[in-house]
Amino acid sequence: MAVTLGDVARHAGVSLATASRALNGSARSVTEELSAKVRASADALGYLPNAPAQALARSSGATIGVLLHDVADPYFGGIARGVGDAAARAGLLSLVTSTDGDPRRELEAIRMLHAHRVRAIVLAGSAYNDVSVIQELDEALAAYQEQGGRVAAITDHGPLYDTVEVANKEGAAALTRALLDLGHRRFAVITGPERMRVAEDRLDGVLEALDESGLTPVEGMLQRTEFTREGGRAAMARIVDVARESGTPLPTAVIALSDICAAGVLAELRARDIAVPEEISVAGFDDIPLATDLAPALSTVRLPLARMGEFAVRLALREGGGRDLADNSHASAEVVLRDSTAAPGVY
Amino acid sequence: MAVTLGDVARHAGVSLATASRALNGSARSVTEELSAKVRASADALGYLPNAPAQALARSSGATIGVLLHDVADPYFGGIARGVGDAAARAGLLSLVTSTDGDPRRELEAIRMLHAHRVRAIVLAGSAYNDVSVIQELDEALAAYQEQGGRVAAITDHGPLYDTVEVANKEGAAALTRALLDLGHRRFAVITGPERMRVAEDRLDGVLEALDESGLTPVEGMLQRTEFTREGGRAAMARIVDVARESGTPLPTAVIALSDICAAGVLAELRARDIAVPEEISVAGFDDIPLATDLAPALSTVRLPLARMGEFAVRLALREGGGRDLADNSHASAEVVLRDSTAAPGVY
DNA sequence: CTGAAAGCGCTAACAT
DNA sequence: ATGTTAGCGCTTTCAG
């Protein structure tokens, strides 16, 4: 049915091997003359290589896999875009799997990607802090690597993988200091679930910066939740409720360690008629595309999402595979102050 | 290196064929006893099927491809998520390609997906109105279909494909009528590029509804631009400038036929200190996740993005492949009025 | 530089 | 019900 390399070879009057070399072979060992003839036959017949067959023969596919929580989430969407672009540049297609951060599904996804013999796997989700979970994932990835697979991680997933180091902690600390400089002293912070390393890293940055100024978040002013809009909303509600019940004054600044969460925070504050930034300053993290369009424009920490994805692919595809730590890419995090933050009490 | 089916068969003391049937075969023709033995051996050895080999042997891969403009765009991200979920449910992985709406790249992507022998291709981007472009794409897809590939389109891409029909026109008309009902009479509309069918469909809906009320947009009050934030911003700027230069009053309602555009519109209006909805009402289209968090909360038309992606996969994977028109899915569009729209002149 | 032939790992007739 | 065996389309030694 389909046109095969054999058809092309016959049409061009050359052997299968020559046709293969002319079209897809890496080694330059075909006369330009024959090569041209083959190429001509190829598109005269509308030849399209059979990728699975190539993958089988070379025992390495022309795809790269991406593991992430949710493509529809702007953070991951940005990364997926970068991975896809870099993959395309390398002539590869990208296989993306949304796991909702469920380790079981991640494990399953890794196995599938492995089965598909993807050239590399990009770990875009957060690493976990739960040892038993890590172990299973590491084992699956180790099996994959043993068979020649490359894996690159975005944010630290341990020393076994090439990693695009993201300045999560530093960024969070810088953001916190910016708020401190504005004069804030009463903070609330909303972070992700304890099991997510990224969330903990960011939190560490905040706490460290706070500590430098001799501050510690009061009981109830540190909330953990999923990195979702709804999670952020609920966390903000809890913060207000806790403050009111205990008769404590509201914090003057709340740091949500994800822009999506921050969107929820803003929504909750609006619903409660608490003015931002007049009564409470709000900051997020990631600088997703619409951060600047929120009400008010969200102060946040900018991460080069697409670039991170591209870096990861570059790391994974790099020749040799020598994994010197020095080769790890580094993604910077830049504080972007917009309208959702202001000095406390100026109004 | 890798554990193969042969290894499993040997370990279990059965033939290759039996092992194959026990593990991946569809036909129930293996004793439960042997089958169990094979499965035991399989995971004792850590067997993972070689997907490319399976694809080659069955001449059909375990992947489905998605063609879209940009995964990082919330509209497409939502669709990609739906496609990925539905694919996963069918045991497939999804290959996503961002083409930025460039026909050349789409063509290239189709060829690659075809080469990878994906089980189905989901056309998530808009169809084009340019015949010469359509033809090339249709040819590439026809070649793919001839070799057993299935294709499903989201929004109308012609009668050659299964399609998830999206109520773009109807939704746009309904939205317009809602604005009309609010009392608006001076409209501006920002749509996408002429070459995109989706943009034209939505525009048709608006114009039709306007026409029902005896209205037609004045010169300059109909702007075409890319469906991007920046495009929306620039278009809004032009609208204001045109109005001022010609001494015409500003429109009281502007309809941006994409939420992303609408975000840009809101930004421009804010920059010019034009109050929304007091001076101008603004509405978008799609209801992307953050639409409700814009300033002010954006009135729009809700599309079930993820569902659309799922439908497309279901259509494409459906047995038989009989493409009665009656089988096409239909995605409804629901008007959602939020704070960015109000009756004109009430302030 | 080119061709012949042996697989890559699996499925699917075709026997038995 | 299970085993044998011939491919699937391509890459890649190995000869020539």
Side-chain angles (χ1 to χ4, degrees):
Chain A
M1 187 94 205
V3 178
T4 71
L5 227 208
D7 299 330
V8 175
R10 198 170 315 118
H11 179 111
V14 301
S15 74
L16 223 199
T18 299
S20 170
R21 291 192 271 248
L23 262 27
N24 322 303
S26 35
R28 294 224 133 292
S29 51
V30 175
T31 342
E32 177 49 32
E33 188 192 331
L34 275 194
S35 181
K37 198 143 64 171
V38 173
R39 282 194 306 262
S41 300
D43 58 50
L45 300 181
Y47 169 71
L48 231 45
N50 183 314
Q54 291 181 305
L56 177 55
R58 324 198 236 249
S59 66
S60 164
T63 49
I64 99 128
V66 202
L67 222 67
L68 37 73
H69 291 359
D70 180 9
V71 246
D73 177 306
Y75 172 82
F76 291 109
I79 291 177
R81 176 67 208 247
V83 170
D85 285 355
R89 257 179 259 128
L92 308 175
L93 247 25
S94 78
L95 244 5
V96 356
T97 55
S98 296
T99 62
D100 285 323
D102 176 349
R104 299 239 60 77
R105 288 167 66 188
E106 289 204 352
L107 191 58
E108 178 61 19
I110 290 171
R111 295 231 171 85
M112 292 197 75
L113 293 174
H114 183 169
H116 280 261
R117 298 310 193 260
V118 295
R119 189 103 98 220
I121 293 181
V122 171
L123 266 23
S126 170
Y128 300 101
N129 285 314
D130 179 339
V131 185
S132 69
V133 165
I134 289 181
Q135 197 174 336
E136 269 192 314
L137 295 175
D138 278 347
E139 281 171 12
L141 288 168
Y144 169 68
Q145 287 177 306
E146 270 164 29
Q147 289 171 38
R150 317 274 284 103
V151 3
I154 291 176
T155 72
D156 190 23
H157 283 233
L160 297 84
Y161 317 113
D162 287 325
T163 115
V164 175
E165 286 165 2
V166 178
N168 277 314
K169 183 172 172 185
E170 297 79 352
L175 174 64
T176 306
R177 281 189 214 104
L179 257 15
L180 248 5
D181 288 349
L182 244 26
H184 290 280
R185 286 299 175 275
R186 288 202 312 279
F187 286 84
V189 16
I190 297 173
T191 187
E194 215 163 346
R195 64 175 194 282
M196 287 175 51
R197 200 120 91 208
V198 168
E200 292 302 283
D201 287 349
R202 294 180 181 178
L203 177 58
D204 285 349
V206 173
L207 296 181
E208 192 171 293
L210 249 27
D211 189 62
E212 286 166 11
S213 295
L215 298 173
T216 344
V218 189
E219 170 77 20
M221 291 301 112
L222 167 51
Q223 294 284 337
R224 290 178 194 281
T225 178
E226 294 300 321
F227 273 157
T228 59
R229 177 180 192 274
E230 195 42 38
R233 208 201 46 64
M236 187 64 236
R238 267 178 270 133
I239 288 171
V240 175
D241 291 343
V242 166
R244 295 204 166 141
E245 279 167 27
S246 62
T248 333
L250 285 176
T252 63
V254 6
I255 301 177
L257 267 4
S258 131
D259 284 354
I260 293 281
C261 272
V265 167
L266 292 176
E268 181 65 19
L269 256 17
R270 201 176 314 121
R272 298 208 182 209
D273 269 315
I274 298 178
V276 177
E278 292 80 354
E279 298 178 65
I280 295 186
S281 281
V282 174
F285 204 109
D286 291 339
D287 195 27
I288 59 175
L290 288 174
T292 192
D293 292 303
L294 297 179
L298 187 65
S299 293
T300 186
V301 175
R302 172 173 303 154
L303 251 30
L305 301 175
R307 219 101 58 76
M308 284 155 49
E310 292 172 13
F311 281 163
V313 172
R314 199 180 309 166
L315 276 184
L317 260 32
R318 163 189 48 163
E319 284 310 307
R323 304 206 303 86
D324 323 279
L325 278 183
D327 280 359
N328 287 347
S329 294
H330 194 85
S332 58
E334 177 198 355
V335 174
V336 181
L337 259 23
R338 289 194 274 243
D339 308 334
S340 67
T341 49
V346 296
Y347 297 89
Chain B
M1 190 92 203
V3 178
T4 71
L5 226 208
D7 298 332
V8 175
R10 198 170 316 118
H11 179 106
V14 302
S15 75
L16 223 201
T18 299
S20 170
R21 292 191 271 248
L23 262 28
N24 323 304
S26 36
R28 297 219 132 294
S29 53
V30 175
T31 341
E32 178 47 31
E33 188 192 332
L34 275 194
S35 180
K37 198 143 64 171
V38 173
R39 283 193 307 261
S41 300
D43 59 50
L45 300 181
Y47 169 72
L48 231 46
N50 182 316
Q54 290 182 304
L56 178 55
R58 325 199 234 248
S59 67
S60 164
T63 49
I64 99 125
V66 202
L67 222 65
L68 38 74
H69 292 358
D70 180 8
V71 243
D73 178 306
Y75 173 81
F76 291 109
I79 290 177
R81 177 66 208 248
V83 169
D85 285 355
R89 255 179 261 128
L92 308 175
L93 247 24
S94 78
L95 242 7
V96 357
T97 56
S98 295
T99 62
D100 285 321
D102 176 348
R104 299 239 61 76
R105 288 167 67 189
E106 289 202 353
L107 191 58
E108 178 61 17
I110 290 171
R111 296 232 171 85
M112 292 197 74
L113 293 173
H114 183 168
H116 281 262
R117 299 310 192 261
V118 295
R119 188 102 99 221
I121 292 181
V122 171
L123 267 22
S126 169
Y128 300 101
N129 284 314
D130 178 341
V131 185
S132 71
V133 165
I134 289 180
Q135 197 175 334
E136 270 192 313
L137 294 175
D138 277 347
E139 281 170 14
L141 288 168
Y144 168 69
Q145 287 177 307
E146 270 164 29
Q147 289 172 38
R150 318 276 282 102
V151 1
I154 291 175
T155 72
D156 190 22
H157 283 233
L160 296 84
Y161 317 113
D162 287 323
T163 115
V164 176
E165 285 165 3
V166 178
N168 278 313
K169 183 173 172 185
E170 297 79 352
L175 174 63
T176 306
R177 280 188 214 104
L179 258 14
L180 249 5
D181 287 349
L182 243 26
H184 291 279
R185 285 301 174 272
R186 287 202 313 280
F187 286 84
V189 15
I190 297 174
T191 186
E194 213 163 346
R195 64 173 193 284
M196 286 175 52
R197 199 121 90 208
V198 168
E200 293 300 283
D201 286 350
R202 294 181 182 177
L203 177 58
D204 285 350
V206 173
L207 297 180
E208 192 170 294
L210 249 26
D211 189 61
E212 287 166 11
S213 295
L215 298 173
T216 344
V218 189
E219 168 77 20
M221 291 301 110
L222 167 51
Q223 294 285 337
R224 289 177 195 283
T225 178
E226 295 299 320
F227 273 157
T228 60
R229 178 181 191 274
E230 195 42 40
R233 208 200 45 64
M236 188 64 237
R238 267 179 267 131
I239 288 172
V240 175
D241 291 343
V242 165
R244 294 202 168 145
E245 279 166 25
S246 63
T248 333
L250 283 175
T252 63
V254 6
I255 301 177
L257 267 5
S258 134
D259 284 354
I260 294 281
C261 273
V265 167
L266 292 176
E268 181 65 18
L269 257 15
R270 201 176 313 122
R272 300 208 182 209
D273 271 315
I274 298 179
V276 177
E278 292 80 352
E279 299 178 65
I280 296 186
S281 281
V282 174
F285 204 108
D286 291 339
D287 196 28
I288 60 175
L290 288 174
T292 191
D293 292 304
L294 296 179
L298 187 66
S299 293
T300 185
V301 176
R302 173 171 304 156
L303 253 29
L305 300 174
R307 219 101 57 78
M308 284 155 49
E310 290 172 16
F311 281 163
V313 172
R314 199 180 310 165
L315 276 184
L317 259 33
R318 160 190 49 159
E319 282 312 307
R323 305 205 302 83
D324 322 278
L325 278 181
D327 280 358
N328 287 346
S329 294
H330 194 85
S332 59
E334 177 199 355
V335 174
V336 181
L337 260 21
R338 289 196 272 243
D339 308 334
S340 66
T341 49
V346 295
Y347 297 92

